Amino acid sequence: MSDEQGGNRNGTEGAADQRCIDFVEQLTAYLDGTLPSPARRRVDEHLEHCEGCRAALAQWRTVVRLAGRLSPADVGDVDPYVRDRLMATFREVRRR
């Protein structure tokens, strides 16, 4: 039986944590709509019961929406080091 924070009262909280880790690793494909149907269904089922992952998904949707508003001038003004680190982070998330 799960508690309100998504943990498990019978001592198997690790399984719930693993589902959250799996979700984070599939987040980019989920947002892109490229996650295969069976995996997407599992993610949707997880989201029904996990407030933390729903919050993470909402935050990433906000990032995507706001990033889509950036103009070339906005991006051109970003410090090259910061831009390179940000791009490396995005590439790493996509590889998982």
Side-chain angles (χ1 to χ4, degrees):
M1 174 175 260
S2 294
D3 67 21
E4 291 175 5
Q5 280 115 19
N8 199 309
R9 291 187 189 148
N10 63 6
T12 58
E13 288 182 10
D17 290 343
Q18 184 60 47
R19 285 190 300 273
C20 293
I21 291 167
D22 292 343
F23 168 75
V24 169
E25 291 176 351
Q26 298 176 15
L27 184 59
T28 303
Y30 185 86
L31 286 169
D32 288 346
T34 60
L35 197 61
S37 294
R40 186 170 188 87
R41 279 192 297 276
R42 286 191 301 274
V43 168
D44 287 336
E45 289 170 5
H46 177 75
L47 288 169
E48 288 178 20
H49 304 286
C50 185
E51 183 178 340
C53 287
R54 284 194 309 271
L57 178 62
Q59 289 172 349
W60 273 104
R61 283 183 170 150
T62 298
V63 167
V64 168
R65 183 175 44 81
L66 293 175
R69 293 181 183 173
L70 293 173
S71 71
D74 294 329
V75 177
D77 290 340
V78 173
D79 178 87
Y81 175 78
V82 172
R83 183 183 59 240
D84 291 346
R85 295 292 303 151
L86 183 60
M87 292 307 295
T89 300
F90 288 138
R91 281 191 291 274
E92 181 63 29
V93 169
R94 279 202 175 271
R95 273 184 248 175
R96 293 182 184 169

